[in-house]
């Protein structure tokens, strides 16, 4: 039996069940942007994460059918915009196919020329380092060349169980005694989780 046949025979869940289970993992929401052929392009993306501090790498996953991705891949650079809690309308705009997504969006160019959306919690200016096949998605590694701001205190836009989620309490910094978190790559406070 071929590896693909073994994998199919062992799968005991539907695509809907997989989506529902993955929905149990709360994520932030980003918008990946670039300028291709003098026009801004972008898409909403919840599959973004830190990859490495040295070298400075991030990654995101994008559906292979994404038209915006084709433009971003062609220019070889992009910005990651981390949305704030009050930017649900921005997420909705960039979550749709077609139309001019930037018609009602204020933005400025990053140092590499990619759109940085006004009001985001943070942004990363990146060049494409590597693209890996990930089934129906591409896994994209980006090398960070610049970023900003790092001092925002508002709350992030979160997605959980197919809907937006609001934080009810302020973020609490971990204490140095929380050794189980030592392998995390990011922290909201003065502690470094490495």
């Amino acid at each position: 039996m071929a590896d693909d046949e073994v994998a199919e025979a062992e799968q005991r869940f539907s695509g809907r069940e997989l989506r529902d289970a993955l929905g149990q993992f709360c994520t932030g929401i980003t918008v990946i942007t670039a300028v291709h052929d003098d026009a801004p392009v972008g898409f909403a993306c919840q599959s973004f994460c830190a990859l490495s501090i040295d070298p400075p790498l991030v990654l995101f996953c994008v559906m292979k059918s994404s038209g915006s991705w084709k433009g971003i891949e062609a220019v070889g650079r992009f910005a990651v915009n981390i949305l704030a809690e009050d930017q649900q309308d921005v997420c909705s705009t960039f979550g749709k196919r077609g139309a001019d997504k930037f018609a009602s969006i204020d933005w400025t160019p990053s140092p590499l020329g990619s759109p940085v959306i006004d009001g985001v919690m943070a942004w990363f200016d990146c060049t494409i380092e590597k693209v890996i096949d990930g089934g129906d998605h591409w896994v994209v590694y980006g090398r960070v060349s610049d970023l900003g701001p790092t001092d925002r205190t508002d709350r992030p836009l979160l997605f959980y169980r197919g809907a937006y989620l609001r934080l009810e309490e302020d973020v609490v910094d971990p204490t140095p005694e929380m050794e189980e978190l030592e392998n995390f790559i990011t922290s909201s406070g003065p502690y470094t989780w490495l």
Side-chain angles (χ1 to χ4, degrees):
M1 199 181 277
D3 288 342
D4 289 342
E5 292 172 337
V6 170
E8 274 187 36
E10 293 176 357
Q11 182 173 319
R12 296 190 175 107
F13 52 85
S14 69
R16 179 75 257 170
E17 289 172 316
L18 179 58
R19 275 185 186 269
D20 290 346
L22 291 171
Q24 301 304 314
F25 184 67
C26 180
T27 66
I29 303 174
T30 66
V31 174
I32 310 297
T33 61
V35 173
H36 177 246
D37 289 340
D38 298 323
V41 295
F43 62 91
C45 178
Q46 73 181 93
S47 58
F48 164 79
C49 68
L51 180 59
S52 170
I53 298 296
D54 185 18
L57 299 173
V58 295
L59 74 76
F60 68 86
C61 300
V62 58
M63 290 183 67
K64 289 182 176 177
S65 61
S66 169
S68 296
W69 164 245
K70 291 173 178 72
I72 293 167
E73 183 179 34
V75 297
R77 60 187 174 275
F78 60 91
V80 178
N81 295 267
I82 298 178
L83 298 185
E85 184 177 59
D86 63 354
Q87 293 184 303
Q88 290 182 17
D89 58 332
V90 175
C91 180
S92 295
T93 297
F94 284 93
K96 298 174 186 168
R97 291 186 181 269
D100 181 1
K101 297 176 186 176
F102 287 86
S104 62
I105 302 295
D106 293 326
W107 61 277
T108 55
S110 70
L112 291 178
S114 299
V116 173
I117 298 168
D118 289 0
V120 295
M121 294 199 58
W123 56 267
F124 302 90
D125 212 6
C126 305
T127 54
I128 295 174
E129 184 85 359
K130 183 188 292 192
V131 179
I132 299 171
D133 190 331
D136 57 5
H137 282 63
W138 295 113
V139 180
V140 181
Y141 289 22
R143 181 176 289 263
V144 179
S145 66
D146 207 344
L147 56 85
T150 58
D151 59 353
R152 293 286 301 263
T153 58
D154 41 350
R155 296 175 183 205
L157 183 59
L158 301 175
F159 199 68
Y160 177 64
R161 293 184 177 175
Y164 297 118
L165 174 71
R166 291 186 178 271
L167 291 175
E168 296 297 324
E169 298 179 21
D170 289 331
V171 175
V172 177
D173 287 339
T175 64
E177 294 80 34
M178 297 176 73
E179 293 180 20
E180 66 272 15
L181 302 177
E182 69 182 25
N183 290 321
F184 284 21
I185 203 166
T186 61
S187 169
S188 61
Y191 310 106
T192 302
W193 302 351
L194 296 175

